[in-house]
Amino acid sequence: MKFLKKLGALALASALTLSNFPMAPVEAKEDSDTSNTAGYSTDVIYQIVTDRFVDGDSSNNPSGEIFDKYDNRKYHGGDWAGITQKISDGYFTNLGVTALWISSPVENIMIIDPSNGCASYHGYWAKDFFRTNSAFGSMDDFQTLVDTAHANGLKIIIDFAPNHTSTAEYDDIYFPEDGALYRDGAFVGSFTNDTQGIFNHEEWIKDYDWLENATYHSMYGLADLNHMNATVDEYLKDAIDMWLDKGVDGIRVDAVKHMPQGWQTNWLSDIYEDHDVFVFGEWYWDPSKPTGEMTNFVNNSGMSLLDFRYSSAVRNAIGSEEDTMDKLYQVMVDTENDYNEVNDQVTFIDNHDMARFMSIGKDGQSSVNQAYVLLLTSRGVPTIYYGSEQYMTGLSDPDNRADMTSFNTNTTAYQVISKLAPLRKTNAALSYGTSEEKWVNDDVLIYERKFGNDVVLTAVNRNENVSYDITGLFTDLPEGSYNDELDGILNGETISVNAKGAVSNFTLNGGECAVWTYTTDEQNVNIGNVDPGMGISGNKISISGRGFGDTQGNVTFGKTEATVLDWSDSLIEVQIPEVAGGKYTITVNTCDGDKDAYDGFRVLTASQVATRFYVNNAETDYGQAVYIVGNCEELGNWDPDRAVGCFFNNTASIANYPTWFFDISLPKGTKLEYKYIKKDSAGNVVWESGANHVYTTVTDGTGIVVDDFNN
C-alpha cells in the first residue's frame, strides 16, 4: 500500500531544533488499538463468507428456490446476527484474531442465475449499494455487528465489489434483473436499456493477462460498470462513504485488476479525505504469469493487495510440496524487494476462490498447522479463511464455501493460531520486521525477523518422516534460554543462545515447528508503516512503529512541519501539511533528539477527479507505446521515467489505433500542461513536438480530453 523505503537516520541532512517541542505527555492510542483503522500490521484477519457461518436469525432467511441448505449454490441462512453471537461468545477473541472480513453487505439480486443455477449468497451480484442484503440482516443488525465487534476489540472489514452489478448477458439467456442498478430504491440504469452510459458494453474478457481487455470487458457476463461515467463515479464514492460512516474499519476491494487504476486512485483519494482506513484489493494472479502489472498496482494505486505470490509459494512448498523451502524463502525475499511496503500486503494460505489448504496439503492436518506457523510469523497482514482452523475441505467453488463445520477450540490449528496471533500485537518484529534466512534446505526453513530490538526466530520442518540436525545456527536473539511460543504442540523445544548469538546444536524432528521470541520496551525510534500510503494536504495519516516516546515530538514532510494529532510510543497521527504534490521524506523527531525517516510518501496535488485522455494519430513503431507526462505529481512532474501509461488502443467502444486512451486520477480544477511521449521497452523516449497541451480539469464528476499527437 505504500510508496516508502526506509532511510538510515544518518542520511538526514539536518535535525530540527528540539527546544520548540511541547513537553507535556499526550494521551493517544497505540498501534495495536482497534481504533487504529489505517494500519493493520499488528492485526490478524479472519475471513467469513457470511451466509456459511452461523444462522443467528432464521426470520431473515430467503424463501423459495434461492434457499437450500443442502445445495452449496444456494443461500444457507448465515447472517450478521450469527457473527455477532460468535463475537460475544469469545470464539474470535480466544483465537487471537483482531479483524473480521465479511461478505459484501449490499443488496444483491434475489433470484437464481439462469446460466449457472446459483444464488447471490456470496454477495458479488449487487443491485443496490445503499441497502443491505436482506438475507444477512437489516441496517440495524449491521450496526449491532460493528458496535459489538468494536466493544470486543475487533475491526470490521467489508468486501466491496465496485466493478459490476449482476449478470446481464450469456448467449441467448434472458436475465430478469438485466444487471440493473438502484440507489436506495431509485432506479439508476440497466444493461440493455443503458441510455446514460452506466455500463461498458464490450464482449467478455478474452485474455485475463491482457490488461486493457481485462479492464474494460465483462467478467462472465456480469454487467460491467463504466467508472468514467460521472453518475457511477459519484454513486460509488457516496456508497462507500455511507458504509464507512457506520464504523467500518477497512475495505477489501474485489476485482481491482478489472477497473481502471486511474479511477481507483481517484476513488481512494476521496475515501482518504474523510476516513483513515485500511484498503486492500484482489488482483487474482496465476503463478505462471508475469508479475509486473500487479507489482505496479501494489506500488502506485494507493491500496494494498492480497498477496497471491506469497500464498502460491506457501501452497507449493508446504501444501503440494512441489517446490522446496528454499524457493519459498526466495519468494519472501523477492516480494520484500519488489513491494515498496511489504508489511501492508495481506497474506493468506487459502480463500473463497481457491481450494482449501486441507484439500491440497500432502500431509493433511500437519500441512495446515505448518502453513499457519509460517503465515503468522511472516511479513504482511495474515488472513485466516473461516473453518480452516477446523480443517474444512473443499476443492473448488462452491464446495470451498461450505457451512462452518465446528467451533472446536481444541483443534491443533486453532491452538497454533491462538498462540501466535497475539504476538503480532506485542512483538514488533512480526508487525514491521525484515526477514533473514538462518538455515535452509529442501525441507527446512529457519528464518528470523527483527525490528529494533525485537526478534522472532521461526523453524519449520515440512518433512514428517525425516529429522535434521541443526548446526551452525546464529541468531540476533540475546544470550539466554528460549521456550517455544507454541508450548511444544508441534514438538518444538527450548533452545539456548550464547553471547555471540550461536544457537546450541539441536534436532528438528519430522514435522516439527517452533517459534522463539524476544521483546523489550527498550527501543530506539523506528518507523514501521505510514498509512494510508498517499493523501492530499489536510488528510490524517498514521505513523506506526516503536520508540517514539510518550512525550510529543515533531514530524516533518521534507522541511515542512506537520500538525500532530495524537502521539504515543507506537503510533503518531498527523495531518499532511500544506505542501506541493510530490514524494516526501517523513521524519519523526522525538523529544529525546532521536529520529527516523521514511522516504517516498506520495502527496497528491489536490482533491482528485478521474479524467480520460484520448490522443489521435499517435502512430508508433513496433515495440513503442504512448505515455503522458506533465507539470504535476499525477503526471510525473515532467519526468519521463514517471510518465503515466502505457495508453490503450484496442477497445471497440472507446478507441482503436492510432487513437490511444488512458484513465488518470488528476487534481480537480487545476490547469495542466503536458505532452505525450513514445517509449519502447528499452526506455528510449520520443517526445511530442510543438507547444505543450493545456487543459484545466473539471471540479466535479469526471473529465474527457481529446488531443491530436504532434508529430
Side-chain angles (χ1 to χ4, degrees), residues 639-698:
D639 181 355
D641 291 335
R642 297 182 56 220
V644 178
C646 59
F647 276 44
F648 300 131
N649 65 9
N650 193 10
T651 299
S653 65
I654 303 177
N656 288 278
Y657 181 86
T659 296
W660 302 64
F661 77 97
F662 206 69
D663 299 328
I664 307 173
S665 183
L666 292 171
K668 64 173 58 175
T670 302
K671 183 179 179 180
L672 306 176
E673 294 190 20
Y674 57 93
K675 282 184 178 296
Y676 297 97
I677 62 174
K678 300 174 185 178
K679 293 172 64 174
D680 61 21
S681 59
N684 298 309
V685 176
V686 177
W687 285 81
E688 186 184 22
S689 63
N692 296 338
H693 297 279
V694 178
Y695 171 70
T696 299
T697 57
V698 298

Side-chain angles (χ1 to χ4, degrees), residues 253-270:
V253 186
D254 184 61
V256 297
K257 182 178 181 179
H258 304 290
M259 296 177 284
Q261 181 174 322
W263 176 82
Q264 291 184 80
T265 298
N266 139 85
W267 182 64
L268 285 168
S269 180
D270 188 76

Side-chain angles (χ1 to χ4, degrees), residues 94 129 137 198 253 304 341 424 462 694 707-708:
N94 293 331
F129 287 77
I198 300 297
V253 186
S304 298
E341 184 47 81
R424 301 190 74 88
R462 73 176 184 184
V694 178
D707 293 313
D708 290 319

Side-chain angles (χ1 to χ4, degrees), residues 31 36 38-44 155 278 341-345 380-382 424-425 430-432 528-529 531 544:
D31 66 332
N36 175 23
Y40 274 56
S41 290
T42 68
D43 289 299
V44 175
K155 302 175 184 178
F278 183 58
E341 184 47 81
V342 72
N343 287 325
D344 272 347
Q345 307 315 311
V381 183
R424 301 190 74 88
K425 294 289 188 186
L430 292 180
S431 307
Y432 313 115
N529 288 341
D531 302 281
S544 54

Side-chain angles (χ1 to χ4, degrees), residues 77-296:
D79 50 29
W80 297 325
I83 299 173
T84 302
Q85 289 175 12
K86 299 312 295 182
I87 294 173
S88 297
D89 76 12
Y91 184 78
F92 304 115
T93 302
N94 293 331
L95 183 60
V97 301
T98 52
L100 305 181
W101 158 16
I102 63 173
S103 302
S104 177
V106 309
E107 182 181 13
N108 272 228
I109 61 170
M110 298 301 281
I111 61 172
I112 292 295
D113 186 321
S115 68
N116 55 30
C118 287
S120 60
Y121 71 89
H122 42 64
Y124 292 126
W125 297 342
K127 177 179 181 177
D128 193 327
F129 287 77
F130 290 83
R131 292 188 171 182
T132 69
N133 186 326
S134 59
F136 299 163
S138 67
M139 199 64 82
D140 286 343
D141 295 327
F142 181 80
Q143 193 65 64
T144 297
L145 168 65
V146 172
D147 293 344
T148 305
H150 291 169
N152 286 270
L154 296 165
K155 302 175 184 178
I156 292 293
I157 301 165
I158 60 168
D159 215 323
F160 201 75
N163 176 68
H164 56 264
T165 57
S166 59
T167 310
E169 50 153 342
Y170 185 86
D171 293 336
D172 296 323
I173 296 175
Y174 170 70
F175 291 86
E177 292 283 350
D178 194 28
L181 181 68
Y182 293 80
R183 178 168 179 145
D184 198 17
F187 178 75
V188 176
S190 63
F191 187 77
T192 58
N193 187 27
D194 187 18
T195 59
Q196 297 184 69
I198 300 297
F199 300 96
N200 291 317
H201 292 273
E202 298 292 329
E203 60 188 1
W204 287 24
I205 296 171
K206 293 180 178 179
D207 182 355
Y208 281 83
D209 298 318
W210 175 11
L211 186 59
E212 178 179 357
N213 195 254
T215 301
Y216 298 100
H217 290 237
S218 165
M219 290 195 298
Y220 313 114
L222 292 164
D224 195 62
L225 288 168
N226 174 14
H227 299 90
M228 297 305 295
N229 178 288
T231 298
V232 173
D233 176 68
E234 179 184 37
Y235 180 103
L236 292 171
K237 288 175 179 176
D238 290 348
I240 195 61
D241 194 56
M242 183 202 76
W243 289 102
L244 291 171
D245 282 344
K246 296 186 181 300
V248 167
D249 306 291
I251 312 163
R252 181 269 191 182
V253 186
D254 184 61
V256 297
K257 182 178 181 179
H258 304 290
M259 296 177 284
Q261 181 174 322
W263 176 82
Q264 291 184 80
T265 298
N266 139 85
W267 182 64
L268 285 168
S269 180
D270 188 76
I271 291 171
Y272 295 153
E273 284 192 46
D274 296 315
H275 308 278
D276 55 330
V277 295
F278 183 58
V279 184
F280 62 100
E282 177 231 14
W283 183 298
Y284 199 93
W285 176 68
D286 179 342
S288 67
K289 305 300 182 182
T291 63
E293 290 169 342
M294 182 173 66
T295 301
N296 173 69

Side-chain angles (χ1 to χ4, degrees), residues 273 535-540 575-581 603-607:
E273 284 192 46
I536 66 171
S537 296
N539 283 12
K540 181 170 73 171
Q575 278 187 317
I576 301 174
E578 292 295 330
V579 292
V603 178
L604 301 172
T605 305
S607 296

Side-chain angles (χ1 to χ4, degrees), residues 532-554:
M534 70 175 189
I536 66 171
S537 296
N539 283 12
K540 181 170 73 171
I541 64 167
S542 298
I543 304 168
S544 54
R546 291 293 184 273
F548 303 145
D550 293 324
T551 301
Q552 181 177 314
N554 170 292

